[in-house]
Amino acid sequence: MVRGQDRAGGSAGGSRQAMVQPPRRGGGGRPTIGDVAALAQVSKATVSFVINDRPGVSPQARQRVLDAIDQLGWQPNAGARALSTKRSQTLGLVMRRPPELLSTDPFFPQFVAGIETGLAPLGYALVLQVVPDEETERQAYERLARDGRVDGVFLTDLRTDDPRPALVTELGIDALIVGPPQHGGRVPALGVDDGSGVRRAVSHLRSLGHRWIGHVCGAAGYVHTEARCNAWRGALADAGLPEIPPVPADFTGAAGAQATHQLLDLDRPPTAIVYANDLMAIAGITAATSRGLRVPEDLSVVGFDDIPLADCIAPPLTTVRQDVLAWGRAAAQALVSLTEGGEFQAAELPPVEFVVRASTAPPRT
Amino acid sequence: MVRGQDRAGGSAGGSRQAMVQPPRRGGGGRPTIGDVAALAQVSKATVSFVINDRPGVSPQARQRVLDAIDQLGWQPNAGARALSTKRSQTLGLVMRRPPELLSTDPFFPQFVAGIETGLAPLGYALVLQVVPDEETERQAYERLARDGRVDGVFLTDLRTDDPRPALVTELGIDALIVGPPQHGGRVPALGVDDGSGVRRAVSHLRSLGHRWIGHVCGAAGYVHTEARCNAWRGALADAGLPEIPPVPADFTGAAGAQATHQLLDLDRPPTAIVYANDLMAIAGITAATSRGLRVPEDLSVVGFDDIPLADCIAPPLTTVRQDVLAWGRAAAQALVSLTEGGEFQAAELPPVEFVVRASTAPPRT
DNA sequence: CTTAGATATTAAACCGGTTTGATGACGCTC
DNA sequence: GAGCGTCATCAAACCGGTTTAATATCTAAG
């Protein structure tokens, strides 16, 4: 080799146009930057400059490189690039959830789709892990952080006393909490206020004339469960309405039905119930109906999520809708800018929508 | 440096025990294999041998290496490893679906969870992409294949005349079709026969006495939609029952309701309807009820999927359940063994279950 | 005709692993 | 004590990119 490590073909004095055949590498391997460089009669560095939009490349050289890339169908190897730049252009999402509960959840798929729509234009990828318990969860984050597979992680379904904010801080990994900011937390957070939906629900019911409103909570230990429950309490208090003790449940239909019966068994049963999600609300409607009550005449019901089924049942469900897709997109953009620039500014999220359908009505007089 | 590129600390003649402090690298960077080697007083190669379980390392050296790894909390960098081995230990899943339809689907989250449970023990990761249309879908596969990010991909929601089997073959990337084998296809496939659930449904209805059974199809163009529709036709034919033209729909509640009305508007409406998914079935029940019919007395309804809501509504839905989690796990294992060994043998999947609830009953005489 | 300055270009080092071929130490046999 | 095989160990090359520092070329100014 006379000149340069990088030249793979063509004699040192040969003309540019001399090489016609793409110098495809021996085996079935994909082309490398070296192949592109050889075909374009430039060095690897020049190719690198071209694809990274760095100055100092003549228009002619640039064009030859682009042609070569095109001809070979080359694309930089993600691993090699990550090795050099120390950035994997990948974010991580760890879902901790008993697998059988996953299909219940309208949030997960939409949120993932939202993340994707935010990530794709930026050239980022998403690695996903689903883990069953807290121990595996910890290991998952540690592995992702230490083997350099991701530049940052999302923290979803935050629990009260969640160990993960401390964990990611300790691991020195960029992270974004998907949910309302934690007071005192050092980890940035992006999320709509769950409470506003619940307040809208209570205010809607009150304006219909309800004064005795119950609440069926989500699974204990989650920040958003508490947020919804507290918002309900606060809304009642603000409206000067009396409080029935909220009934604990866990987002499943069975728990929703049971909690409903519990409320309806009270000496003075509520005329309206606000559920922490649609699934429990629908199960609640079924439970109430089975006792001979009619919804909404005898009992008004409000859900949360606006799942696709919400308007396919009788009566169609009044509920709270969040733009989860937009949330995911914003979260993706926020986490990327966090890992890249270091700066985080909370994006504006579309507010929750309150969807009035037919499961709410004025109470019987 | 007297001996060896790899030694980072300790004089050449120093005793093994001389070094107490971990030779942590300057900045905040994570430890590398070189740091481990230095701490354990061995070469990088020896460390590599230890973590890859290769022979030729003395018990003493192995122990020192393990101690050093432990002390530094080291973990091999995924990108670097991928660069050397040309294997990323990562699989790809591309979902092409209009984002707003995603939350409808009980399959996706469960399947992903299943993949994870199969992948995690093998040390593999999953990268996920959600794309809106065919063009982006193609680009997604091309990118994943060419930048070496994944060792193989799953192909889900196969369409009739799907371009992807040809695409992955052309790209030379390992792939697994999630679904029944395609006749004539070169791409291996793993999936339960959608038809068997539908046949179970028809046979159940026939044994109840139904002889006039309708079908509401899923979204056109999908292999599994056709499979369910054809299975329904076949089951009717086998049972010697007359066929009502199947009604096209698209898996959404609105379409399910409309299709139901269409069937009930017939001169001779069916006494039972088999739906391609639960969402349409539930919308169908609501539609029938709104016409004054009672389910199951006047109309029997069978769904498909067994979503969590299926037994929270009135009447609880008779439906077909697949063990999607097990399917995902098996698919993960199959694709890994495909990319590693090259050999593929179809694993046994648990058969579909037919869940009889209260939405089916003998027809009115 | 120099010379300085700007611009295009590249060789080589580097990222953090894996893998190979060479070397040295050791125990064994004859 | 020479010869040989085994085993542990390591230096160096390599994977495919990025980045730096040096060099080559061209232009404009003095």
Side-chain angles (χ1 to χ4, degrees):
Chain A
M1 187 67 52
V2 182
R3 304 171 54 197
Q5 54 165 15
D6 294 337
R7 295 294 175 78
S11 64
S15 79
R16 299 284 191 198
Q17 293 79 359
M19 179 160 312
V20 179
Q21 247 185 346
R24 210 57 187 257
R25 329 185 75 214
R30 300 184 221 298
T32 72
I33 197 175
D35 300 325
V36 174
L39 179 56
Q41 304 274 50
V42 298
S43 69
K44 294 198 312 181
T46 301
V47 177
S48 180
F49 290 160
V50 168
I51 61 170
N52 291 302
D53 271 325
R54 291 176 114 76
V57 180
S58 69
Q60 301 90 318
R62 169 179 311 272
Q63 195 51 54
R64 285 205 314 279
V65 168
L66 292 176
D67 289 346
I69 289 174
D70 203 47
Q71 187 173 339
L72 294 177
W74 173 78
Q75 202 173 126
N77 178 286
R81 187 172 234 175
L83 188 55
S84 289
T85 60
K86 297 182 172 303
R87 317 218 67 251
S88 61
Q89 304 251 100
T90 302
L91 301 182
L93 175 62
V94 180
M95 300 282 304
R96 171 186 145 194
R97 197 164 292 207
E100 64 280 7
L101 255 177
L102 261 177
S103 64
T104 306
D105 183 15
F107 179 81
F108 168 68
Q110 292 237 80
F111 189 71
V112 168
I115 289 180
E116 276 296 323
T117 65
L119 247 35
L122 303 174
Y124 274 67
L126 177 72
V127 332
L128 193 74
Q129 299 220 8
V130 182
V131 299
D133 53 47
E134 183 156 337
E135 175 58 16
T136 13
E137 181 185 56
R138 231 181 72 88
Q139 292 170 356
Y141 282 105
E142 283 183 349
R143 249 190 64 188
L144 284 179
R146 283 217 262 260
D147 72 5
R149 225 186 257 272
V150 302
D151 297 333
V153 294
F154 297 99
L155 266 37
T156 64
D157 287 337
L158 217 66
R159 303 182 288 280
T160 52
D161 286 327
D162 199 300
R164 290 174 296 166
L167 176 62
V168 295
T169 306
E170 180 199 326
L171 290 172
I173 186 177
D174 284 315
L176 177 71
I177 291 175
V178 177
Q182 299 296 293
H183 62 272
R186 325 195 152 282
V187 180
L190 178 65
V192 295
D193 172 24
D194 268 326
S196 76
V198 174
R199 283 190 292 273
R200 297 274 293 274
V202 170
S203 125
H204 164 72
L205 291 171
R206 208 182 76 95
S207 74
L208 286 174
H210 293 273
R211 310 198 52 78
W212 191 229
I213 303 172
H215 179 57
V216 175
C217 302
Y222 287 99
V223 166
H224 59 282
T225 296
E226 304 253 317
R228 291 174 197 183
C229 188
N230 289 337
W232 170 75
R233 279 208 186 86
L236 291 186
D238 288 350
L241 299 179
E243 180 179 319
I244 312 176
V247 184
D250 64 2
F251 291 126
T252 67
Q258 203 204 323
T260 304
H261 284 300
Q262 198 172 323
L263 280 168
L264 297 178
D265 282 338
L266 292 176
D267 291 337
R268 188 185 158 201
T271 62
I273 304 179
V274 176
Y275 293 82
N277 73 346
D278 283 354
L279 178 54
M280 295 196 296
I282 293 174
I285 291 177
T286 304
T289 307
S290 75
R291 297 167 69 108
L293 296 178
R294 293 188 312 168
V295 176
E297 292 83 354
D298 304 315
L299 177 73
S300 283
V301 166
V302 179
F304 203 107
D305 283 341
D306 196 27
I307 62 177
L309 255 163
D311 67 350
C312 296
I313 57 161
L317 190 65
T318 295
T319 188
V320 177
R321 179 198 299 162
Q322 308 185 51
D323 191 343
V324 178
L325 207 68
W327 188 1
R329 189 183 318 122
Q333 288 161 350
L335 185 49
V336 166
S337 91
L338 196 65
T339 62
E340 288 188 342
E343 268 322 295
F344 168 74
Q345 78 260 26
E348 275 302 306
L349 293 180
V352 300
E353 261 178 89
F354 189 66
V355 184
V356 179
R357 297 205 182 91
S359 66
T360 48
R364 282 200 117 72
T365 49
Chain B
M1 187 66 52
V2 183
R3 303 171 52 196
Q5 55 165 14
D6 294 338
R7 296 293 176 77
S11 65
S15 76
R16 299 281 191 199
Q17 294 78 0
M19 181 161 310
V20 180
Q21 248 183 346
R24 208 61 185 254
R25 331 185 75 214
R30 299 184 223 298
T32 72
I33 198 175
D35 299 326
V36 174
L39 180 56
Q41 305 272 52
V42 297
S43 69
K44 293 198 312 181
T46 301
V47 176
S48 180
F49 291 160
V50 169
I51 61 170
N52 290 303
D53 272 324
R54 291 176 111 76
V57 179
S58 68
Q60 300 91 318
R62 170 179 310 272
Q63 194 53 53
R64 285 204 313 280
V65 169
L66 293 175
D67 288 347
I69 289 175
D70 203 47
Q71 187 173 341
L72 295 177
W74 174 78
Q75 202 173 124
N77 178 287
R81 186 172 235 174
L83 188 55
S84 289
T85 61
K86 296 180 175 305
R87 318 218 64 252
S88 62
Q89 305 250 98
T90 302
L91 300 182
L93 175 61
V94 181
M95 300 282 304
R96 171 185 146 195
R97 198 165 291 208
E100 65 278 7
L101 256 176
L102 261 176
S103 64
T104 306
D105 183 14
F107 180 80
F108 168 68
Q110 292 236 80
F111 188 71
V112 168
I115 289 180
E116 276 296 323
T117 65
L119 247 35
L122 303 174
Y124 274 67
L126 177 72
V127 333
L128 193 75
Q129 298 220 9
V130 183
V131 300
D133 53 47
E134 184 157 337
E135 175 56 17
T136 13
E137 181 186 55
R138 231 181 74 87
Q139 291 170 357
Y141 282 105
E142 283 183 350
R143 249 190 66 190
L144 285 179
R146 285 217 261 259
D147 73 4
R149 225 186 256 273
V150 302
D151 297 333
V153 294
F154 297 99
L155 265 37
T156 64
D157 287 337
L158 217 65
R159 303 182 288 280
T160 52
D161 284 328
D162 199 302
R164 291 175 296 166
L167 177 62
V168 295
T169 306
E170 178 199 328
L171 289 172
I173 186 177
D174 283 315
L176 177 71
I177 291 175
V178 177
Q182 300 297 291
H183 62 271
R186 325 193 152 283
V187 180
L190 178 66
V192 294
D193 172 24
D194 268 327
S196 76
V198 174
R199 283 190 293 273
R200 296 274 294 275
V202 171
S203 124
H204 164 73
L205 290 170
R206 208 182 77 96
S207 74
L208 286 175
H210 292 273
R211 311 199 52 78
W212 193 228
I213 304 171
H215 179 57
V216 175
C217 303
Y222 288 98
V223 167
H224 59 283
T225 296
E226 304 253 318
R228 290 174 199 182
C229 189
N230 289 336
W232 169 75
R233 278 208 185 87
L236 290 187
D238 289 349
L241 298 180
E243 180 178 319
I244 311 176
V247 183
D250 64 1
F251 290 126
T252 68
Q258 203 204 323
T260 305
H261 284 301
Q262 198 172 322
L263 280 168
L264 297 178
D265 283 338
L266 292 176
D267 289 339
R268 189 183 157 202
T271 61
I273 304 179
V274 176
Y275 292 82
N277 72 347
D278 282 354
L279 178 54
M280 294 196 297
I282 293 174
I285 291 177
T286 304
T289 307
S290 75
R291 297 166 70 108
L293 296 178
R294 291 189 312 167
V295 176
E297 292 83 354
D298 304 315
L299 179 71
S300 283
V301 167
V302 179
F304 203 106
D305 283 342
D306 195 26
I307 62 176
L309 256 163
D311 67 348
C312 296
I313 59 161
L317 190 65
T318 295
T319 189
V320 176
R321 180 197 299 161
Q322 308 185 49
D323 191 343
V324 178
L325 206 69
W327 187 2
R329 189 182 319 122
Q333 288 161 350
L335 186 49
V336 166
S337 91
L338 196 65
T339 62
E340 288 189 344
E343 270 321 296
F344 168 73
Q345 78 259 28
E348 274 302 306
L349 292 181
V352 300
E353 262 177 88
F354 189 66
V355 185
V356 178
R357 297 206 183 90
S359 66
T360 48
R364 283 199 116 71
T365 47

